[in-house]
Amino acid sequence: MATKSATPWGPATLVEELTVPQRAGDKRFASVVQLLEGAKGEKLVRFAYSTDGAARRGPVTLRARDVEKLVSGLAGCPQLAETLGFGTKEGADAAG
């Protein structure tokens, strides 16, 4: 069964999710990028961070090497990559 999420635009279904593990000293957490689809088919992208497996709201901060992990991980999330512009020639040029 598809995961549902509440958004300011109404309910949405989780299509793809990419988790980027991160560490700061002894702290371990992850940034999460989700591709959601709204009731009318619109695509939504949600950025969050998680601690102990629970998603948290708030600012998401990525170091340059974490952005590299995110871009690399998009290979396994083709719809999310395309939505973020990495599935197009322009996006591929920007990623390379």
Side-chain angles (χ1 to χ4, degrees):
M1 183 173 186
T3 301
K4 296 287 184 179
S5 294
T7 75
W9 299 274
T13 303
L14 178 64
V15 176
E16 287 183 335
E17 179 176 276
L18 174 61
T19 300
V20 179
Q22 294 177 273
R23 188 173 84 186
D26 292 336
K27 296 179 184 178
R28 296 187 187 279
F29 53 99
S31 290
V32 179
V33 184
Q34 297 176 323
L35 175 61
L36 306 171
E37 185 174 295
K40 296 178 182 175
E42 66 274 24
K43 292 181 180 180
L44 307 166
V45 177
R46 175 183 289 168
F47 289 86
Y49 71 95
S50 68
T51 56
D52 300 323
R56 312 275 184 210
R57 291 188 173 136
V60 174
T61 304
L62 298 169
R63 296 171 294 184
R65 66 179 175 231
D66 297 322
V67 172
E68 291 172 7
K69 289 181 194 177
L70 183 141
V71 171
S72 176
L74 287 172
C77 299
Q79 294 178 72
L80 181 58
E82 183 177 345
T83 302
L84 290 173
F86 289 96
T88 63
K89 173 143 180 42
E90 295 80 19
D93 291 344

